[in-house]
Amino acid sequence: MTAAVPTIPTDQLPKHVAIIMDGNGRWAKLCGQPRAFGHRAGVRSARKVVRAASKAGVEVLTMFAFSQENWHRPLEEVNLLMRLFISTLKREIAKLDEYGLVWRFIGDHDAFAPELRQLMAETERRTRRNKGMTLLIAVGYGGQWDIAQAAASLARQGEAITAEAIESRLVTAGYPAVDLMIRTGGELRISNFLLWQAAYAELYFCDTLWPEFESRNLHEALSWFAGRQRRFGRVPEAA
Ligand code: IPE
Ligand code: IPE
Ligand code: MG
C-alpha cells in the first residue's frame, strides 16, 4: 500500500507552483558518475513530481529546465541537455493524454534546434484543449529577458508601460502569479527565474538534490505552504 497523501484544502493549496530543479550534477558526482547520469535521473524525478502536483490539485506548475545562463555551460553538457529534451519529449508525446496536462514551453527558443522547436510546438498543439494541470516548461528562460521582451512589445506598439501592461505581455500572461517557489539542491537564490511573477511567492528551499526529490518532498512543501500567512503588505486580519 502506498503512503497516505495528505489532502490539503483547496483554499490552502498554491494555484501556481514553480520549481528550480537543481542539484543533478552534484548528485551524479556523489554517485561517482558523469553529470549526464544526474540529468537523466532528473528527468525521472520531474515526471514523478508532475504527476504528484497534478494529483494534489495544483493548477499551474512551472519547471525550470534550462536557463539562459545555462548556455554558458561546456558545449558537451549543453548538447547533452538538448538531446535529453528531444528524447524526453518524443517519449512523452506518445502518452500525452495521461493526466490531461496542458503543456506550454516558455523562454527564448530562437537558439534551439528546429527539431526541438517542432516537438515543443507539436506538444503544445496536441494538449491545448486538455482540461488538467497546466505544465509550463521554462527552457531558454530568463526572468530579466521576460520582462524586457514584454516592455519591448509594448514599446513597439506605442503602448504605455504600466505594471498591468507588462504583466499582460509576460510569457506567463493569463496564469496566476507564483504562490510557491521551490528550489532543491541547497542554494538560496532564484537564479533569474520568474522574477516578476514571484514577487509575492513563498520561497521554499531544501537541501535535497533534484534526482532525490520525490512526491513526498512535494507534499512536504505543499503542507509548509498551507501553514504560511500571506499578507501582501497588509496587516493580519486578526491584528
Ligand atoms: C540542474 O542541475 C539542472 C540544470 C541546470 C539543467 P545542475 O546541473 O545545475 O546540478 P548542480 O547544481 O551542478 O549540482
Ligand atoms: C538554475 O540552476 C537553472 C535551472 C535549474 C534550470 P543553476 O544550477 O543554473 O543555477 P546557479 O548557476 O547555481 O545559480
Ligand atoms: Mg545547479
Side-chain angles (χ1 to χ4, degrees):
M1 210 175 98
T2 49
V5 174
T7 317
I8 298 171
T10 315
D11 64 338
Q12 289 170 33
L13 199 66
K15 281 189 167 43
H16 187 168
V17 177
I19 307 185
I20 303 174
M21 308 183 274
D22 195 24
N24 294 350
R26 278 163 288 163
W27 181 80
K29 199 169 177 192
L30 284 175
C31 300
Q33 296 284 340
R35 294 177 65 83
F37 183 78
H39 292 313
R40 281 195 288 270
V43 172
R44 291 195 289 276
S45 251
R47 197 174 293 123
K48 285 191 243 170
V49 169
V50 167
R51 284 174 193 172
S54 148
K55 280 188 184 162
V58 169
E59 286 177 23
V60 181
L61 174 67
T62 306
M63 312 279 275
F64 206 4
F66 189 82
S67 72
Q68 280 194 320
E69 290 75 20
N70 289 149
W71 285 114
H72 302 301
R73 291 191 178 196
L75 188 61
E76 196 192 333
E77 180 163 348
V78 171
N79 286 341
L80 171 109
L81 286 166
M82 294 300 148
R83 284 199 304 276
L84 194 57
F85 290 146
I86 290 177
S87 60
T88 303
L89 277 184
K90 280 185 175 163
R91 206 174 39 234
E92 293 302 314
I93 261 177
K95 44 185 175 180
L96 271 180
D97 290 328
E98 213 184 339
Y99 294 98
L101 301 178
V102 178
W103 288 61
R104 290 272 327 277
F105 296 87
I106 56 169
D108 180 356
H109 302 151
D110 286 354
F112 287 135
E115 183 185 14
L116 182 51
R117 291 167 61 164
Q118 274 162 22
L119 278 168
M120 294 194 287
E122 189 187 339
T123 307
E124 288 185 342
R125 188 180 52 74
R126 285 182 47 177
T127 61
R128 211 172 36 206
R129 288 189 229 290
N130 282 352
K131 298 277 180 269
M133 181 180 80
T134 297
L135 175 62
L136 302 180
I137 309 280
V139 276
Y141 182 83
Q144 293 171 343
W145 163 83
D146 194 2
I147 296 166
Q149 67 78 28
S153 136
L154 292 171
R156 265 197 311 276
Q157 286 160 0
E159 286 189 38
I161 298 183
T162 62
E164 291 72 24
I166 289 182
E167 200 156 296
S168 73
R169 302 294 171 101
L170 294 172
V171 292
T172 51
Y175 299 113
V178 176
D179 298 301
L180 170 64
M181 185 180 277
I182 299 173
R183 182 178 189 135
T184 64
E187 306 292 357
L188 306 182
R189 53 177 176 256
I190 56 177
S191 301
N192 198 18
F193 196 22
L194 299 158
L195 299 180
W196 183 291
Q197 297 87 336
Y200 263 102
E202 301 293 329
L203 304 176
Y204 183 89
F205 297 101
C206 65
D207 289 334
T208 310
L209 301 169
W210 178 250
E212 293 189 331
F213 193 89
E214 298 184 355
S215 319
R216 176 177 56 82
N217 303 90
L218 178 77
H219 295 137
E220 260 166 40
L222 295 178
S223 302
W224 173 84
F225 175 87
R228 306 305 302 163
Q229 185 192 52
R230 305 186 79 193
R231 291 190 287 278
F232 299 99
R234 300 161 199 250
V235 292
E237 267 165 30

